Amino acid sequence: MVLSDAEVSIVTVLYAFTMLAAIVGNSLLIYIVWKKPEVRSLTSSMFVNMAIADLLVALFMMPLSIVNAHTESKWKVPGLPGDIICRGSILISHATLIASILCLVFMAIDRYCAIVCPLSVHSVWFRKAKFVTPLIWVMSIALMAIMPVVYKLNYEHSLCEIDPNVLGQNPTFRGVYLYIFFITYIIPLATICPLYAKAARKLWFNQEPGNHLIEEQQLRLLVTRRKVVRMLVIIVVVFAICWLPAQVIHLFWVATTFRENPPEIVMYLGFWLAHANSAINPWLYIALSTKIRLAFNRMVTFRKSHPALRKSTQGMSHSTKASTFQEAKV
């Protein structure tokens, strides 16, 4: 079963708009954090890391999906070079996806450390972007290193697909898709949800008795932390919803050992929604993060401002940077 001409057009248009939104949104987020020191924190660093991964999804996976829709998934590069590119593209695409997901996991761990055990010695080294960023990419490549082993170019049918001879047809298909299901969905959510639940309980319900009068600085810090946790929970929920159809398709393949397929358009739309998460993430962060949103608004309106107003805005920026020094550590 292949896509009809109308379905190919629908998939192409959806991916084209999604690619544009992903490239613009993630590039804009990286630029804001790079140019505006007052918005920098470990959370924003993790979002920059995620933005880089999401940019790679937009530049590698989304164009490949469009090509597959137009060529019926036929691999156009023949021979050994085609096999190398097949395995390499599979590694890059899966590693970038898991890197984006691992950023959500590490942000959840960071929030837990900052809120539940802020004075722990073990959390100090962990909450450093210079350590966490390379760790995420090393873990991503290591976790997805199995993919170039189990994928190969099928020379006869010109398809980049799972090699059924690795462990035998049924064990290989089931093993690969179960592995993807647990590594990219179940384990991250099973890690993130309890951490945010404990952090939320600490923020909203575990206030010490008799301490009703909280100093203004402490209250501001508490409100900031609540906003950050609320924002990250929303982003995780969006991730879970966007990836659910693709994971259901993976489980369907596990149950049928790839002998049956859902309708072609359903598969493309399911994986498009998963890829669309890479376009949604930066715009969600810009909309939900107060500091990022203010920096974005100032950047958009800066050129329209009167020169005197620009100086005033710059002064406000320095003031904001000083007043939010403690919040940047949150």
Side-chain angles (χ1 to χ4, degrees):
M1 184 183 296
V2 297
L3 295 174
S4 66
D5 291 342
E7 291 171 341
V8 169
S9 299
I10 292 172
V11 170
T12 303
V13 170
L14 286 175
Y15 266 108
F17 278 109
T18 306
M19 284 175 59
L20 180 62
I23 292 171
V24 172
N26 287 296
S27 300
L28 189 58
L29 179 57
I30 294 171
Y31 178 79
I32 290 173
V33 176
W34 174 51
K35 294 293 288 185
K36 306 292 181 181
E38 68 270 19
V39 306
R40 294 173 191 166
S41 65
L42 182 60
T43 301
S44 63
S45 297
M46 287 297 96
F47 266 102
V48 167
N49 206 26
M50 185 187 297
I52 294 172
D54 288 338
L55 264 179
L56 292 174
V57 171
L59 295 174
F60 284 96
M61 292 200 73
M62 294 185 193
L64 185 60
S65 296
I66 295 175
V67 171
N68 287 339
H70 284 267
T71 63
E72 300 177 16
S73 300
K74 297 294 183 181
W75 200 254
K76 296 301 182 182
V77 183
L80 181 60
D83 186 53
I84 294 174
I85 295 173
C86 163
R87 296 173 190 261
S89 64
I90 289 295
L91 174 61
I92 293 172
S93 60
H94 283 80
T96 53
L97 285 175
I98 193 66
S100 180
I101 295 167
L102 282 177
C103 286
L104 294 177
V105 175
F106 275 81
M107 280 190 284
I109 298 173
D110 169 65
R111 289 300 88 200
Y112 178 84
C113 291
I115 295 168
V116 178
C117 49
L119 301 179
S120 173
V121 177
H122 301 290
S123 66
V124 174
W125 62 268
F126 176 81
R127 301 191 67 207
K128 294 182 179 179
K130 291 182 180 180
F131 169 79
V132 175
T133 298
L135 177 62
I136 287 174
W137 286 101
V138 170
M139 288 182 62
S140 301
I141 294 173
L143 288 170
M144 293 294 111
I146 188 65
M147 291 303 163
V149 177
V150 298
Y151 272 82
K152 73 168 187 177
L153 178 61
N154 184 324
Y155 295 104
E156 182 180 353
H157 299 98
S158 298
L159 295 173
C160 182
E161 61 183 9
I162 293 175
D163 181 4
N165 298 319
V166 175
L167 297 173
Q169 184 168 354
N170 289 352
T172 303
F173 281 124
R174 285 177 174 164
V176 169
Y177 288 113
L178 278 176
Y179 181 76
I180 293 174
F181 176 66
F182 279 99
I183 290 295
T184 64
Y185 199 71
I186 293 298
I187 293 177
L189 288 179
T191 303
I192 292 169
C193 293
L195 292 176
Y196 279 147
K198 291 181 180 180
R201 183 179 179 184
K202 177 80 173 180
L203 286 176
W204 274 275
F205 303 110
N206 271 12
Q207 295 184 8
E208 297 179 3
N211 191 23
H212 299 294
L213 297 176
I214 305 176
E215 294 181 2
E216 183 179 351
Q217 185 177 2
Q218 292 176 319
L219 180 59
R220 198 163 53 239
L221 186 63
L222 179 64
V223 171
T224 301
R225 285 178 168 176
R226 285 180 175 178
K227 287 181 178 179
V228 172
V229 170
R230 188 183 296 115
M231 172 189 68
L232 295 177
V233 168
I234 291 173
I235 289 170
V236 170
V237 170
V238 171
F239 156 77
I241 293 172
C242 287
W243 274 93
L244 182 59
Q247 300 298 345
V248 170
I249 293 172
H250 287 153
L251 291 181
F252 179 85
W253 284 336
V254 169
T256 62
T257 58
F258 224 73
R259 290 190 301 269
E260 297 180 27
N261 277 324
E264 199 81 7
I265 187 63
V266 171
M267 289 195 296
Y268 270 94
L269 292 178
F271 286 108
W272 163 77
L273 184 60
H275 296 161
N277 186 236
S278 296
I280 296 172
N281 281 334
W283 295 108
L284 267 181
Y285 188 40
I286 291 172
L288 296 175
S289 172
T290 303
K291 289 186 289 184
I292 294 289
R293 187 174 65 252
L294 290 175
F296 173 74
N297 290 338
R298 286 198 299 270
M299 186 180 69
V300 170
T301 58
F302 182 76
R303 294 182 176 232
K304 300 178 181 179
S305 301
H306 189 273
L309 184 58
R310 291 185 191 178
K311 294 181 181 179
S312 174
T313 303
Q314 291 172 354
M316 289 175 60
S317 175
H318 291 298
S319 175
T320 302
K321 180 179 178 182
S323 66
T324 60
F325 178 75
Q326 291 296 330
E327 294 181 9
K329 295 182 179 180
V330 176

